[in-house]
Amino acid sequence: MAKQLNYHTIREIFTRFHAAEPEPKGELDHVNAYTLVVAVALSAQATDAGVNRATAELFKIADTPQKMLDLGLEGLTEHIKTIGLFRQKAKNVIKLSQILVDDYGGEVPNSRAALQSLPGVGRKTANVVLNMWWQQPSQAVDTHIFRLGNRSGIAPGKTVEAVERAIEDNIPADFQLHAHHWMILHGRYTCVARKPKCPACLIKDLCQFEEKTL
């Protein structure tokens, strides 16, 4: 684990991220808050590209909780069977859709506690939805962010929660809204798990990773 970088270094890192991609976007396709919740829930232990392929037709016919319930468990399962853990995920989507209809008038709540009470929705999923749909500066820490935070010194921590706190505590406020998107994209395409692309990295002179590739 690298040491925590200082404020000025972190500001420079995110200034560079911003210059390279001023408005970073999540890569899961969705059309509203509900389809975003479903897409993020389906993405656990799956790739965004794989989820997008599965939901391309699904969201054309089931873009609200009631429409998903009308499609039913078997219909949903048929659409997402190419995704890992699809049977359990299908059950969760049907259950959370029923709760949204029964308790929230078919609308997706905008509080972390309410979101996390839904089947198949953990803290990471809730944070993604809060950030992407309601523009809250919440930090969804996935494997890419956890790796980058610890390698670089941007946000070191032994647990997901510790890395999340480090991001909130150490990244300047004006970069908080897009911080997790910049970090996900950098971890997904540059600071990859095996053979990170250090020569092409725009923060290689600031990063604390001791095993930088040549």
Side-chain angles (χ1 to χ4, degrees), residues 38-54:
V38 173
V40 180
L42 294 177
S43 70
Q45 296 179 276
T47 64
D48 288 359
V51 172
N52 289 340
R53 284 193 295 272

Side-chain angles (χ1 to χ4, degrees), residues 33-42 64-66 68-69 76 88-104 106-109 114-122 125:
Y34 171 69
T35 53
L36 178 58
V37 170
V38 173
V40 180
L42 294 177
T64 69
Q66 187 57 59
M68 192 67 77
L69 293 174
L76 170 57
Q88 184 57 51
K89 289 177 180 179
K91 291 177 183 177
N92 285 338
V93 169
I94 293 297
K95 288 178 183 176
L96 73 83
S97 299
Q98 190 68 62
I99 291 171
L100 291 176
V101 169
D102 292 345
D103 298 345
Y104 297 98
E107 300 295 325
V108 175
L115 286 166
Q116 285 188 243
S117 72
L118 300 173
V121 176
T125 299

Side-chain angles (χ1 to χ4, degrees), residues 124 140-147 160 163 180 183-184 188:
K124 187 187 82 170
V141 178
D142 68 352
T143 55
H144 302 299
I145 290 181
F146 189 82
R147 178 174 65 251
V160 167
V163 171
H180 94 272
M183 292 181 73
I184 286 173
R188 183 174 288 165

Side-chain angles (χ1 to χ4, degrees), residues 143-144 147 151 187-188 190-197 209:
T143 55
H144 302 299
R147 178 174 65 251
R151 275 181 177 172
R188 183 174 288 165
T190 302
C191 194
V192 295
R194 297 179 182 178
K195 296 184 179 179
K197 302 171 184 177
F209 187 43

